[in-house]
Amino acid sequence: MTRRWLQASGAEFWLPLPLVAIAFWFSSSFLAAQELNRPQPTENKLKADTQLEIIVSVNILLINAVVNRSQGITHVKVETAEPVLKRLELELPLTDIDQIEATLAEELGIDRREVRQWVRYQILD
């Protein structure tokens, strides 16, 4: 009678299903743990202490440099005509005009004469 009731209600199929699900869960978690604990050889390792050097060619409109001699730094804003890079901001630990121009020429990849043409200085004491 009980067996007939189990077959008629479909419980004969549904009763062992949670046991199969639990067994599947334990076995998959065991396999995942084994795979994640296995050492993975990497050929290319990331270096977090290096800086990325980007060379950008842009049309410069204006260079504003605010030289703060009391703090010993210069804040530089470079405005460009490019839609992707409209403004570039730099902070230089320099207050000498010649050093600032040389550093800007090196950073922007342009000639010092071009830097002198576009730069406007504001000197704070």
Side-chain angles (χ1 to χ4, degrees):
M1 166 101 174
T2 307
R3 186 167 176 99
R4 209 179 287 154
W5 179 80
L6 285 174
Q7 286 177 345
S9 66
E12 193 172 74
F13 171 76
W14 294 107
L15 283 178
L17 195 59
L19 296 174
V20 171
I22 290 172
F24 179 76
W25 181 60
F26 277 121
S27 63
S28 64
S29 63
F30 174 75
L31 289 174
Q34 291 296 321
E35 184 64 28
L36 291 174
N37 286 332
R38 192 175 64 164
Q40 301 288 329
T42 55
E43 296 294 325
N44 300 328
K45 296 183 181 184
L46 293 176
K47 294 180 181 179
D49 59 345
T50 61
Q51 288 195 359
L52 181 63
E53 184 176 329
I54 300 174
I55 299 172
V56 179
S57 176
V58 294
N59 293 328
I60 297 173
L61 296 175
L62 179 67
I63 301 173
N64 284 326
V66 179
V67 181
N68 192 331
R69 292 196 174 160
S70 63
Q71 293 181 354
I73 58 173
T74 301
H75 295 281
V76 180
K77 291 182 182 176
V78 180
E79 295 184 20
T80 68
E82 303 296 324
V84 176
L85 181 64
K86 291 196 180 272
R87 182 179 296 141
L88 178 65
E89 297 185 14
L90 302 168
E91 185 173 301
L92 305 174
L94 307 167
T95 57
D96 183 51
I97 301 298
D98 289 331
Q99 290 178 343
I100 293 169
E101 288 176 355
T103 304
L104 286 174
E106 183 181 330
E107 289 287 326
L108 299 174
I110 58 176
D111 193 43
R112 277 184 81 168
R113 284 180 275 134
E114 294 180 66
V115 171
R116 284 190 197 110
Q117 179 183 356
W118 288 311
V119 72
R120 302 293 178 258
Y121 291 103
Q122 179 181 0
I123 299 174
L124 306 174
D125 288 324

